[in-house]
Amino acid sequence: MSTRPDPAPETAAAPAAPSAPAAAPAKPGSEWLHYAVRNPKLIIGFSLVVVLLAIGLLGPPLLDNGNPNEYVGPQASAPDGTYWMGTTTFGQDVYAQFVHGLRSTFLVGVVGGAIAAVIAMLVGFLAGYRGGVLDEVLSMLTNVVLVIPTLAVLLIINAYMGVRSVAVQGLFIGLTSWPWAARAIRAQTFSLRTREFVDLARLSGSGTWRIVFREIAPNMSSYLFMMFILLFGGAILIASSLDFIGLGPTEGVSLGLMLQSAQQWSALQLGMWWWFIPPGAGITAIVGALYIANVGLDEVFNPKLRES
């Protein structure tokens, strides 16, 4: 009996080529850094701020004269090799006043901006996360401070203070310039408190401040940093306005006080451009660079605004 041959085995299918492993998602920090070093607005803005800050920090110790208001040279002298920015009507070195003024301007911006940012975060986080009666009370407080004419209050306070310093000026600016930031933080917190990661943290027994600073605040870090830059620049502008109208620090020197002195002693009418242009350009450069850097940061943190 003939046996039938076994059927030919089926041809095995060729194994598929292994697929390339999926790229690991980039960490937010590395992604932001990638776009930050390629953003011209951010680089130009922060570079200018760093240069001016370095002049303000390193300039005063390098000067032979530690008192910027001392009469050291000829009166109303134009810039030359000895006095790089000339002298005032009274023989004061404008360059010495400028570098000391930069330090004072940055100091009032840091103090005022930091105080306003801390108050805004405390009020905004509490109101947005807890809600209810606490939200209504804090929102009412925020609205009251928001409608108060800040400049008028600062004028009254400064007028009745015998001795005014840069730190005290920054303190009062910070105590009156936080409401708009608090409202913005409250809105952001209100939208984040219903997310799953917040619910999980709440179920695990975490307290209010632990959830706020461990879960909510890190997700708003870029927004908080940009907010501080705006508060920083706003504090400098308010301080310069107070200085220009004669309600600045009673001791020391600032860029606003330089403008006030130049205006008081008719520097513009006398053609002493070297007295009022440096402080005006310094204030403009600091605030302008901060806002340019803030625009660059917005493009870095917001994917919809990135050019590449």
PDB file of all heavy atoms in Angstrom, residues 80-95:
ATOM      1  N   ASP A  80      34.486 113.289  30.070  1.00  0.00           N
ATOM      2  CA  ASP A  80      35.864 113.264  29.589  1.00  0.00           C
ATOM      3  C   ASP A  80      36.544 112.012  30.122  1.00  0.00           C
ATOM      4  O   ASP A  80      35.886 111.110  30.649  1.00  0.00           O
ATOM      5  CB  ASP A  80      36.615 114.538  30.006  1.00  0.00           C
ATOM      6  CG  ASP A  80      36.566 114.771  31.515  1.00  0.00           C
ATOM      7  OD1 ASP A  80      36.416 113.786  32.280  1.00  0.00           O
ATOM      8  OD2 ASP A  80      36.679 115.941  31.948  1.00  0.00           O
ATOM      9  N   GLY A  81      37.862 111.954  29.985  1.00  0.00           N
ATOM     10  CA  GLY A  81      38.588 110.773  30.431  1.00  0.00           C
ATOM     11  C   GLY A  81      38.585 110.587  31.929  1.00  0.00           C
ATOM     12  O   GLY A  81      38.729 109.464  32.420  1.00  0.00           O
ATOM     13  N   THR A  82      38.424 111.668  32.681  1.00  0.00           N
ATOM     14  CA  THR A  82      38.417 111.570  34.139  1.00  0.00           C
ATOM     15  C   THR A  82      37.034 111.253  34.669  1.00  0.00           C
ATOM     16  O   THR A  82      36.855 110.366  35.514  1.00  0.00           O
ATOM     17  CB  THR A  82      38.930 112.869  34.768  1.00  0.00           C
ATOM     18  OG1 THR A  82      40.241 113.174  34.250  1.00  0.00           O
ATOM     19  CG2 THR A  82      38.995 112.752  36.278  1.00  0.00           C
ATOM     20  N   TYR A  83      36.051 111.984  34.184  1.00  0.00           N
ATOM     21  CA  TYR A  83      34.661 111.777  34.604  1.00  0.00           C
ATOM     22  C   TYR A  83      33.883 111.279  33.387  1.00  0.00           C
ATOM     23  O   TYR A  83      33.513 112.056  32.504  1.00  0.00           O
ATOM     24  CB  TYR A  83      34.069 113.082  35.155  1.00  0.00           C
ATOM     25  CG  TYR A  83      34.847 113.615  36.339  1.00  0.00           C
ATOM     26  CD1 TYR A  83      35.748 114.671  36.189  1.00  0.00           C
ATOM     27  CD2 TYR A  83      34.704 113.043  37.592  1.00  0.00           C
ATOM     28  CE1 TYR A  83      36.475 115.151  37.266  1.00  0.00           C
ATOM     29  CE2 TYR A  83      35.419 113.519  38.679  1.00  0.00           C
ATOM     30  CZ  TYR A  83      36.309 114.570  38.508  1.00  0.00           C
ATOM     31  OH  TYR A  83      37.026 115.025  39.589  1.00  0.00           O
ATOM     32  N   TRP A  84      33.664 109.956  33.343  1.00  0.00           N
ATOM     33  CA  TRP A  84      33.119 109.323  32.146  1.00  0.00           C
ATOM     34  C   TRP A  84      31.734 109.836  31.776  1.00  0.00           C
ATOM     35  O   TRP A  84      31.389 109.885  30.598  1.00  0.00           O
ATOM     36  CB  TRP A  84      33.048 107.808  32.363  1.00  0.00           C
ATOM     37  CG  TRP A  84      34.385 107.174  32.536  1.00  0.00           C
ATOM     38  CD1 TRP A  84      35.609 107.773  32.352  1.00  0.00           C
ATOM     39  CD2 TRP A  84      34.665 105.836  32.917  1.00  0.00           C
ATOM     40  NE1 TRP A  84      36.625 106.889  32.593  1.00  0.00           N
ATOM     41  CE2 TRP A  84      36.077 105.685  32.943  1.00  0.00           C
ATOM     42  CE3 TRP A  84      33.878 104.744  33.228  1.00  0.00           C
ATOM     43  CZ2 TRP A  84      36.702 104.487  33.277  1.00  0.00           C
ATOM     44  CZ3 TRP A  84      34.484 103.547  33.561  1.00  0.00           C
ATOM     45  CH2 TRP A  84      35.877 103.419  33.588  1.00  0.00           C
ATOM     46  N   MET A  85      30.943 110.214  32.763  1.00  0.00           N
ATOM     47  CA  MET A  85      29.609 110.735  32.501  1.00  0.00           C
ATOM     48  C   MET A  85      29.461 112.181  32.929  1.00  0.00           C
ATOM     49  O   MET A  85      28.352 112.676  33.112  1.00  0.00           O
ATOM     50  CB  MET A  85      28.547 109.881  33.202  1.00  0.00           C
ATOM     51  CG  MET A  85      28.417 108.480  32.652  1.00  0.00           C
ATOM     52  SD  MET A  85      27.059 107.566  33.427  1.00  0.00           S
ATOM     53  CE  MET A  85      27.147 106.012  32.532  1.00  0.00           C
ATOM     54  N   GLY A  86      30.584 112.859  33.070  1.00  0.00           N
ATOM     55  CA  GLY A  86      30.537 114.265  33.432  1.00  0.00           C
ATOM     56  C   GLY A  86      30.230 114.486  34.909  1.00  0.00           C
ATOM     57  O   GLY A  86      30.211 113.551  35.722  1.00  0.00           O
ATOM     58  N   THR A  87      29.976 115.735  35.243  1.00  0.00           N
ATOM     59  CA  THR A  87      29.651 116.100  36.621  1.00  0.00           C
ATOM     60  C   THR A  87      28.374 116.939  36.634  1.00  0.00           C
ATOM     61  O   THR A  87      27.955 117.500  35.616  1.00  0.00           O
ATOM     62  CB  THR A  87      30.788 116.902  37.272  1.00  0.00           C
ATOM     63  OG1 THR A  87      31.015 118.109  36.516  1.00  0.00           O
ATOM     64  CG2 THR A  87      32.068 116.091  37.322  1.00  0.00           C
ATOM     65  N   THR A  88      27.784 117.052  37.810  1.00  0.00           N
ATOM     66  CA  THR A  88      26.564 117.827  37.972  1.00  0.00           C
ATOM     67  C   THR A  88      26.904 119.307  38.158  1.00  0.00           C
ATOM     68  O   THR A  88      28.075 119.706  38.119  1.00  0.00           O
ATOM     69  CB  THR A  88      25.782 117.333  39.190  1.00  0.00           C
ATOM     70  OG1 THR A  88      26.540 117.635  40.379  1.00  0.00           O
ATOM     71  CG2 THR A  88      25.564 115.824  39.122  1.00  0.00           C
ATOM     72  N   THR A  89      25.883 120.103  38.373  1.00  0.00           N
ATOM     73  CA  THR A  89      26.082 121.532  38.614  1.00  0.00           C
ATOM     74  C   THR A  89      26.945 121.776  39.844  1.00  0.00           C
ATOM     75  O   THR A  89      27.625 122.802  39.935  1.00  0.00           O
ATOM     76  CB  THR A  89      24.714 122.227  38.795  1.00  0.00           C
ATOM     77  OG1 THR A  89      23.910 121.953  37.634  1.00  0.00           O
ATOM     78  CG2 THR A  89      24.862 123.726  38.939  1.00  0.00           C
ATOM     79  N   PHE A  90      26.947 120.833  40.768  1.00  0.00           N
ATOM     80  CA  PHE A  90      27.682 120.999  42.019  1.00  0.00           C
ATOM     81  C   PHE A  90      29.001 120.232  42.029  1.00  0.00           C
ATOM     82  O   PHE A  90      29.664 120.150  43.064  1.00  0.00           O
ATOM     83  CB  PHE A  90      26.817 120.538  43.192  1.00  0.00           C
ATOM     84  CG  PHE A  90      25.466 121.178  43.213  1.00  0.00           C
ATOM     85  CD1 PHE A  90      24.353 120.498  42.751  1.00  0.00           C
ATOM     86  CD2 PHE A  90      25.300 122.478  43.658  1.00  0.00           C
ATOM     87  CE1 PHE A  90      23.102 121.091  42.754  1.00  0.00           C
ATOM     88  CE2 PHE A  90      24.056 123.079  43.677  1.00  0.00           C
ATOM     89  CZ  PHE A  90      22.950 122.381  43.214  1.00  0.00           C
ATOM     90  N   GLY A  91      29.381 119.639  40.916  1.00  0.00           N
ATOM     91  CA  GLY A  91      30.640 118.918  40.843  1.00  0.00           C
ATOM     92  C   GLY A  91      30.570 117.476  41.305  1.00  0.00           C
ATOM     93  O   GLY A  91      31.600 116.876  41.625  1.00  0.00           O
ATOM     94  N   GLN A  92      29.383 116.880  41.331  1.00  0.00           N
ATOM     95  CA  GLN A  92      29.246 115.468  41.703  1.00  0.00           C
ATOM     96  C   GLN A  92      29.468 114.583  40.476  1.00  0.00           C
ATOM     97  O   GLN A  92      29.078 114.945  39.360  1.00  0.00           O
ATOM     98  CB  GLN A  92      27.856 115.207  42.293  1.00  0.00           C
ATOM     99  CG  GLN A  92      27.571 116.009  43.547  1.00  0.00           C
ATOM    100  CD  GLN A  92      26.082 116.118  43.825  1.00  0.00           C
ATOM    101  OE1 GLN A  92      25.293 116.373  42.910  1.00  0.00           O
ATOM    102  NE2 GLN A  92      25.696 115.943  45.087  1.00  0.00           N
ATOM    103  N   ASP A  93      30.086 113.447  40.693  1.00  0.00           N
ATOM    104  CA  ASP A  93      30.391 112.515  39.603  1.00  0.00           C
ATOM    105  C   ASP A  93      29.111 111.788  39.178  1.00  0.00           C
ATOM    106  O   ASP A  93      28.535 111.021  39.955  1.00  0.00           O
ATOM    107  CB  ASP A  93      31.443 111.510  40.062  1.00  0.00           C
ATOM    108  CG  ASP A  93      31.960 110.654  38.913  1.00  0.00           C
ATOM    109  OD1 ASP A  93      31.448 110.790  37.786  1.00  0.00           O
ATOM    110  OD2 ASP A  93      32.875 109.841  39.148  1.00  0.00           O
ATOM    111  N   VAL A  94      28.670 112.012  37.939  1.00  0.00           N
ATOM    112  CA  VAL A  94      27.432 111.400  37.456  1.00  0.00           C
ATOM    113  C   VAL A  94      27.595 109.889  37.331  1.00  0.00           C
ATOM    114  O   VAL A  94      26.652 109.126  37.610  1.00  0.00           O
ATOM    115  CB  VAL A  94      27.015 112.020  36.102  1.00  0.00           C
ATOM    116  CG1 VAL A  94      25.793 111.306  35.536  1.00  0.00           C
ATOM    117  CG2 VAL A  94      26.723 113.500  36.264  1.00  0.00           C
ATOM    118  N   TYR A  95      28.786 109.421  36.943  1.00  0.00           N
ATOM    119  CA  TYR A  95      28.993 107.976  36.820  1.00  0.00           C
ATOM    120  C   TYR A  95      28.879 107.291  38.175  1.00  0.00           C
ATOM    121  O   TYR A  95      28.279 106.215  38.290  1.00  0.00           O
ATOM    122  CB  TYR A  95      30.364 107.690  36.198  1.00  0.00           C
ATOM    123  CG  TYR A  95      30.703 106.220  36.151  1.00  0.00           C
ATOM    124  CD1 TYR A  95      30.068 105.374  35.254  1.00  0.00           C
ATOM    125  CD2 TYR A  95      31.641 105.677  37.036  1.00  0.00           C
ATOM    126  CE1 TYR A  95      30.365 104.015  35.222  1.00  0.00           C
ATOM    127  CE2 TYR A  95      31.945 104.324  37.003  1.00  0.00           C
ATOM    128  CZ  TYR A  95      31.301 103.507  36.099  1.00  0.00           C
ATOM    129  OH  TYR A  95      31.597 102.161  36.087  1.00  0.00           O
TER     130      TYR A  95
END
